[in-house]
Amino acid sequence: HRELEPLARCQDPSSYGALRAAADRWLRPVTFRRLLVAFSVLLVAIVAAGWPVYVHPQTDPLRPADAVVVLGGKPYGRFHYGIDIAEQGYAPEVVLSNSVGPDDVRMQQICNGTYTVKVSCFLPDPYSTKGEAEEIKRRAAAENWKHIIVVTYTPHLSRSRYIVQQCFDGEVTMSPNPTQEGIGEWIGSYIYQTAGYIKAALDSECS
């Protein structure tokens, strides 16, 4: 009977429960640390991959072109920036993508303002970078554009270059309008632009 006592103690439900609880307490922080490390590594990889695409994308030196095309987005600074580029002598014409709708009073004032260059506005259809690129294709064919300057904000620069070049065969100079992004805006841009890249890759046809 004495020889069976250790076995009986090992099979005691209360002892087993205590051992299980101790093991859980030991494993739980280890598992959490592993998850934290894995998440940190993944986050660093995502940031590193997106850094040259969204934070420091390829930009081009400005030189004379047939037109400046300002893509839609956060108004209204980029519209004035595009007009300023043209009025500095880089293009005789500015085309603005109206991202705030036809009833926006301030946008109407910008579109109908008096400038030293020609300024026109359009509503993209569909309302997306792809719709803007298709409008560029139509206007380039009608006005014989060979070289355009495209203005947008920094995180959108690489994706818009990719989409515009699907529709326009000429030379594209990409120019980011000066902006300041908060950490929340950068995170949102990473997510939104990555989703946009996936969409553009799946829909590469330009009508």
Side-chain angles (χ1 to χ4, degrees):
H1 294 295
R2 290 180 180 178
E3 294 177 355
L4 297 176
E5 285 180 2
L7 180 60
R9 284 197 297 270
C10 290
Q11 293 177 338
D12 181 12
S14 62
S15 299
Y16 175 78
L19 289 172
R20 179 65 181 272
D24 287 345
R25 285 194 299 271
W26 183 80
L27 288 173
R28 190 177 298 116
V30 173
T31 302
F32 176 75
R33 285 196 295 270
R34 287 177 178 174
L35 290 174
L36 183 60
V37 170
F39 176 78
S40 300
V41 171
L42 178 61
L43 182 61
V44 169
I46 291 173
V47 172
W51 193 269
V53 180
Y54 306 135
V55 182
H56 286 293
Q58 176 189 341
T59 59
D60 306 311
L62 291 175
R63 63 186 191 83
D66 297 309
V68 174
V69 181
V70 183
L71 304 184
K74 185 186 297 183
Y76 296 89
R78 72 177 63 180
F79 301 131
H80 293 295
Y81 174 74
I83 293 171
D84 288 343
I85 288 177
E87 291 190 321
Q88 291 173 28
Y90 286 104
E93 178 180 1
V94 181
V95 179
L96 308 177
S97 175
N98 187 342
S99 57
V100 292
D103 300 324
D104 187 88
V105 175
R106 188 171 176 185
M107 192 67 197
Q108 291 175 355
Q109 293 172 344
I110 294 173
C111 294
N112 298 321
T114 301
Y115 310 101
T116 60
V117 295
K118 177 184 176 182
V119 175
S120 61
C121 300
F122 72 95
L123 291 170
D125 181 24
Y127 182 70
S128 63
T129 306
K130 184 66 172 293
E132 293 170 328
E134 290 173 347
E135 179 68 17
I136 289 173
K137 178 182 179 180
R138 288 189 287 270
R139 295 200 178 213
E143 302 184 39
N144 197 32
W145 291 347
K146 303 298 183 183
H147 175 207
I148 60 173
I149 298 170
V150 177
V151 173
T152 187
Y153 82 126
T154 299
H156 186 220
L157 211 67
S158 295
R159 183 168 70 91
S160 59
R161 182 196 297 272
Y162 172 73
I163 295 174
V164 169
Q165 288 180 335
Q166 290 177 336
C167 296
F168 178 63
D169 294 331
E171 183 178 354
V172 178
T173 294
M174 300 300 300
S175 180
N177 65 298
T179 56
Q180 290 186 343
E181 300 286 324
I183 184 64
E185 292 173 309
W186 278 112
I187 293 172
S189 293
Y190 261 70
I191 296 171
Y192 183 82
Q193 298 301 332
T194 300
Y197 254 120
I198 295 172
K199 180 182 177 181
L202 295 175
D203 181 21
S204 59
E205 295 295 326
C206 185
S207 61

